[in-house]
């Protein structure tokens, strides 16, 4: 598979754009990048702020029919790692991490987000549309709780958008191929280990807001369904889905 990129000037959301296209054609292996999104979304219907022409806002459609629906979080791991690979190549002087489940952080700032829309066929996955927002050359942001920043702010230099887009797609494709190969033996150990190795706060104590209260908890990792596992001071492990826990800084 070679991801084929189409550029458009403006759309409401590149994920929604591909979803509309999916009704009429086979979109597997297609990517669409927009200069401007008028209704870009993050996870949990959060708004994705992006200045037109300064960042990467795009979506990729992948054939995931080989993967069991119960294992769909493996795709989130693969895409996150692909994005890290591309960013490490663009700014190898910086250390990028994955904030659970799949945000991209650097030095306490969010610079990238991933939103995945899966279609399921019985017990198997079908087509997945992966939306990616990456802050590249934008220099000012609203005061969001995620403390957003950009590659430009972090490195002190501007970055060319098209080569970075090509690199991200290439590394996502490599991780997709890796996932497909690992699936043949149903052994995702290497992918799991790489994800945890790059997971922000993994095997450390940190503050989290749970049920309106801030607690100091130890991150043990994630379960097979992608839920966060945190251990309290009494040694009890708690499992959280998205929106059930917030990172505190």
């Amino acid at each position: 598979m070679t991801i084929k990129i189409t550029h458009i000037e403006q759309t409401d959301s590149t994920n929604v754009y591909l979803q509309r296209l999916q009704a009429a054609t086979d979109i597997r292996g297609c990517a669409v990048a927009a200069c401007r999104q008028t209704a870009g979304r993050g996870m949990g219907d959060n708004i994705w702020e992006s200045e037109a022409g300064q960042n990467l806002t795009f979506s990729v459609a992948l054939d995931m029919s080989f993967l069991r629906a119960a294992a769909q979080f493996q795709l989130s791991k693969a895409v996150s790692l692909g994005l890290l690979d591309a960013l490490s190549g663009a700014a190898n002087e910086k250390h990028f991490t994955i904030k659970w489940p799949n945000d991209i952080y650097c030095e306490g700032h969010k610079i990238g987000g991933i939103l995945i829309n899966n279609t399921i066929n019985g017990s198997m996955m079908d087509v997945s549309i992966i939306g990616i927002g990456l802050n590249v050359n934008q220099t000012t942001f609203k005061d969001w709780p995620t403390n957003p920043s950009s590659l430009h702010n972090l490195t002190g230099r501007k970055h060319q958008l098209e080569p970075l887009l090509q690199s991200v797609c290439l590394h996502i494709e490599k991780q997709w191929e890796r996932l497909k190969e690992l699936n043949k033996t149903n052994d995702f150990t290497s992918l799991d280990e790489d994800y945890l190795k790059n997971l922000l706060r993994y095997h450390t104590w940190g503050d989290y807001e749970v049920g309106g209260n801030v607690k100091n908890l130890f991150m043990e990792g994630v379960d097979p369904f992608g839920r966060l596992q945190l251990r309290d001071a009494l040694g009890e492990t708690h499992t959280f889905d998205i929106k059930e826990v917030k990172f505190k800084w």
Side-chain angles (χ1 to χ4, degrees):
M1 179 190 72
T2 299
I3 295 174
K4 298 178 181 177
I5 304 171
T6 299
H7 292 270
I8 58 175
E9 184 63 27
Q10 177 176 302
T11 188
D12 47 358
S13 157
T14 55
N15 264 31
V16 174
Y17 181 96
L18 280 179
Q19 288 171 14
R20 289 192 293 262
L21 195 61
Q22 186 177 13
T25 187
D26 185 359
I27 61 171
R28 302 162 205 257
C30 295
V32 59
C35 179
R36 179 173 183 264
Q37 286 189 130
T38 59
R41 310 300 294 182
M43 188 169 291
D45 288 331
N46 293 321
I47 295 172
W48 183 262
E49 177 191 358
S50 183
E51 186 179 334
Q54 298 301 312
N55 308 307
L56 291 179
T57 49
F58 66 102
S59 294
V60 181
L62 297 178
D63 179 7
M64 297 304 302
S65 58
F66 61 86
L67 190 67
R68 292 177 297 108
Q72 61 187 272
F73 192 67
Q74 298 297 339
L75 172 61
S76 183
K77 294 177 184 178
V79 173
S80 302
L81 291 169
L83 196 47
L84 284 192
D85 290 340
L87 288 170
S88 296
N92 60 11
E93 73 275 23
K94 295 297 179 180
H95 178 60
F96 300 93
T97 58
I98 303 166
K99 175 183 168 290
W100 176 84
N102 54 22
D103 284 337
I104 306 301
Y105 269 62
C106 182
E107 298 178 359
H109 297 275
K110 180 177 179 178
I111 66 163
I114 299 167
L115 179 64
I116 302 178
N117 295 111
N118 294 317
T119 54
I120 308 296
N121 184 9
S123 63
M124 304 297 290
M125 295 179 65
D126 191 7
V127 177
S128 294
I129 298 175
I130 299 111
I132 295 174
L134 184 61
N135 299 330
V136 184
N137 292 320
Q138 186 171 336
T139 57
T140 59
F141 296 85
K142 294 179 181 178
D143 187 22
W144 298 108
T146 53
N147 196 21
S149 190
S150 67
L151 281 178
H152 182 284
N153 287 347
L154 291 165
T155 63
R157 64 181 186 274
K158 294 195 71 172
H159 296 259
Q160 293 184 315
L161 295 180
E162 185 60 24
L164 183 57
L165 173 61
Q166 295 280 351
S167 178
V168 172
C169 287
L170 175 63
H171 285 289
I172 287 176
E173 185 173 337
K174 287 182 177 179
Q175 290 290 346
W176 173 82
E177 291 172 348
R178 175 192 185 187
L179 179 58
K180 194 172 184 179
E181 193 64 27
L182 293 174
N183 185 70
K184 292 178 181 178
T185 59
N186 195 34
D187 184 356
F188 303 104
T189 303
S190 65
L191 187 67
D192 296 339
E193 290 175 347
D194 285 349
Y195 177 80
L196 292 176
K197 182 174 66 177
N198 290 284
L199 187 63
L200 184 66
R201 291 190 181 177
Y202 177 58
H203 273 189
T204 62
W205 292 88
D207 290 336
Y208 302 86
E209 182 178 330
V210 180
N213 300 311
V214 176
K215 301 180 180 181
N216 192 251
L217 302 167
F218 182 84
M219 185 185 293
E220 292 189 337
V222 297
D223 73 3
F225 301 102
R227 297 175 299 187
L228 188 63
Q229 294 181 310
L230 301 172
R231 187 176 77 235
D232 62 27
L234 298 177
E236 183 178 355
T237 299
H238 306 268
T239 301
F240 300 96
D241 212 334
I242 194 71
K243 294 299 181 182
E244 293 180 345
V245 60
K246 294 181 180 178
F247 284 59
K248 303 297 289 186
W249 310 98

